[in-house]
Amino acid sequence: MTQVGIIGWRGMVGSVLLQRMLEENDFNGISAHFFSTSSAGGHGPVIDGIRYTLKDAHSIEALAEMDIIITCQGGEYTKAIYPALLEYGWKGYWIDAASALRMDERACIILDPVNRKNIDRAVNDGIKLFVGGNCSITLSLMGLAGLINADLIEWMSVMTYQSASGAGAKHVRELIAQSAYISQHLSPDELENPGSVLPLVNKVSELIRSDKMPIDNFGAPLMGSIIPWIDSDLGDGNSREEWKGEAETNKILGLPVGTIPVNGLCIRVGVIRCHSAAITLKLKREVSEAEFEALVTHSHPWVNYVPNNKEASVAQLTPAHISGSLQVGIGRFKKMALNNDPIYSVLTVGDQLLWGAAEPLRRMLNILLNRI
Ligand code: NAP
């Protein structure tokens, strides 16, 4: 039986990965092993009544017994362990959620509804390193797959609204703690006072800026605010998250570097789960709303076209509606009144823990299990 090691299973992505693997019976037919960087020897998850004991995620010997390793542990772990495993002579498959090795020339970025041919080619060519793409880019490409297949995109400007859970388990807890901190300091009288709302607004603004607001993980308040920078500062005006947009889009699509220019701003917002992206698209020709709908709808089963009107957008194109669903919403399609060029807006909304992280990993596991 194929030995599959899972690292990072209690983190944000790992918890959703486990949930999806259970829902899809992925544990049937594999021998699963759970690893931990912090509590080797402790209790792991219970699956089919079996309580797993955690193995040491730093033990190269234990990891080398695996045929396939799936890690959602993070980039520092990947950078420390993957080279050491190869050095040890390990020949297995490494499936990773972290960005550390995405642009490595040995790596294939996995998003099979969009690039299954590239994945199959990589497996045939003996590639053993498969990495999930950046969550925002992945969700935008899931929404835009129909336009990509029709070779209609000239360039994209992608403005993201990324949720707190995109930064990990500790961060999403912090957003909720920030919200609780504010509520704890408001009396029913202050909330229900029928007079001017300004005192309430001022008090909440003070609470948001107070040095008691829990900000250890984000470094800034997110509840009632935004954080206009995600990942490191590249020093050229771009965040690393923004740089990933163009680099990963072209790599996922198997295109030469820079074939589709992509740039924009990546913003953290006080959303619990789901990343949204307001995308300005320069297309190679005019596309009517009917053609757009047909293209996106027929590209793969996990895209939901939302007509560009207020009622449908407010009801269906929101993180609140889409959280926990494998359907990526795409809507707000309109020709922008800028000039006569075929420049359009769209909004994509998708669960970054599903298609933006866990789902491509478990699907890659199954692609490999069917091939080896
Ligand atoms: P995370 O929630 O911070 O979990 C990573 C690890 O942190 C866990 O496996 C766990 O390792 C440890 N940990 C420490 N304290 C924890 C706590 N209180 N609760 C849970 N885990 C705790 O990170 P993540 O968001 O899953 O991201 C993992 C990787 O996937 C990163 O490289 C990230 O960039 C990438 N990614 C994330 C998303 C997303 O939406 N979050 C999307 C795409 C890609 P031990 O059990 O070994 O201690």
Side-chain angles (χ1 to χ4, degrees):
M1 207 179 278
T2 308
Q3 307 297 310
V4 179
I6 301 176
I7 304 143
W9 58 276
R10 78 174 175 122
M12 202 62 256
V13 175
S15 311
V16 174
L17 176 70
L18 229 60
Q19 180 197 342
R20 285 291 300 139
M21 288 181 71
L22 285 165
E23 284 167 5
E24 299 292 339
N25 298 316
D26 290 340
F27 287 102
N28 295 353
I30 65 167
S31 177
H33 304 262
F34 293 90
F35 291 76
S36 169
T37 60
S38 59
S39 44
H43 288 321
V46 179
I47 292 171
D48 292 335
I50 299 167
R51 159 79 69 189
Y52 285 81
T53 299
L54 296 171
K55 299 188 174 194
D56 181 0
H58 293 115
S59 165
I60 299 299
E61 290 80 5
L63 292 167
E65 288 173 14
M66 302 297 116
D67 301 305
I68 300 174
I69 288 173
I70 307 182
T71 170
C72 318
Q73 185 61 29
E76 293 310 311
Y77 177 80
T78 296
K79 281 190 243 170
I81 298 296
Y82 186 66
L85 257 179
L86 296 189
E87 179 75 13
Y88 188 80
W90 184 63
K91 299 275 190 290
Y93 291 91
W94 180 271
I95 304 175
D96 202 335
S99 65
L101 296 175
R102 274 185 206 139
M103 299 311 289
D104 191 299
E105 59 185 16
R106 297 164 297 180
C108 173
I109 306 185
I110 47 178
L111 185 61
D112 65 273
V114 174
N115 73 348
R116 178 65 197 254
K117 281 188 196 147
N118 295 355
I119 293 172
D120 287 339
R121 197 178 309 124
V123 177
N124 290 339
D125 290 350
I127 296 290
K128 302 250 168 131
L129 175 57
F130 295 93
V131 188
N134 170 265
C135 36
S136 283
I137 286 305
T138 292
L139 294 169
S140 299
L141 294 184
M142 287 291 286
L144 295 171
L147 298 188
I148 293 163
N149 295 340
D151 188 24
L152 277 170
I153 301 178
E154 193 172 317
W155 55 253
M156 298 194 273
S157 163
V158 181
M159 303 293 180
T160 70
Y161 307 85
Q162 299 183 216
S163 65
S165 57
K170 292 182 199 161
H171 292 74
V172 74
R173 282 184 192 280
E174 186 166 275
L175 173 66
I176 295 163
Q178 291 182 355
S179 175
Y181 170 75
I182 294 169
S183 327
Q184 281 156 13
H185 288 82
L186 299 176
S187 67
D189 278 356
E190 284 172 311
L191 284 169
E192 284 154 27
N193 184 340
S196 165
V197 76
L198 198 55
L200 180 62
V201 169
N202 289 343
K203 178 161 180 191
V204 171
S205 300
E206 274 170 33
L207 287 167
I208 288 171
R209 284 194 289 262
S210 129
D211 58 10
K212 300 280 188 318
M213 184 78 159
I215 59 162
D216 287 351
N217 292 292
F218 277 117
L222 184 59
M223 180 64 216
S225 189
I226 65 164
I227 301 177
W229 204 282
I230 298 177
D231 210 333
S232 54
D233 185 341
L234 297 186
D236 63 356
N238 285 296
S239 67
R240 198 168 118 76
E241 188 80 353
E242 288 152 9
W243 168 83
K244 288 173 194 167
E246 179 170 311
E248 291 190 22
T249 293
N250 288 290
K251 180 159 179 174
I252 290 169
L253 300 177
L255 299 171
V257 175
T259 304
I260 301 182
V262 182
N263 207 304
L265 298 177
C266 292
I267 314 286
R268 186 79 63 197
V269 294
V271 166
I272 294 292
R273 181 169 175 173
C274 270
H275 289 354
S276 309
I279 305 174
T280 302
L281 284 170
K282 170 80 189 301
L283 300 185
K284 294 181 179 172
R285 62 167 170 80
E286 301 276 333
V287 171
S288 68
E289 183 163 5
E291 184 183 4
F292 178 81
E293 177 180 357
L295 283 169
V296 299
T297 306
H298 296 131
S299 54
H300 58 75
W302 299 280
V303 65
N304 179 37
Y305 173 71
V306 179
N308 185 28
N309 63 60
K310 182 174 177 181
E311 194 182 354
S313 302
V314 171
Q316 298 170 46
L317 199 58
T318 65
H321 180 74
I322 289 171
S323 280
S325 159
L326 283 163
Q327 290 293 310
V328 174
I330 183 163
R332 297 311 325 271
F333 176 81
K334 65 176 181 186
K335 184 161 183 201
M336 298 187 87
L338 298 172
N339 54 28
N340 278 329
D341 288 339
I343 296 178
Y344 297 84
S345 68
V346 293
L347 182 71
T348 59
V349 184
D351 190 321
Q352 96 287 351
L353 291 166
L354 287 167
W355 275 114
E359 196 64 11
L361 305 186
R362 61 158 290 276
R363 289 172 66 90
M364 188 66 220
L365 170 66
N366 285 296
I367 290 171
L368 290 175
L369 291 173
N370 287 329
R371 299 284 297 260
I372 59 177

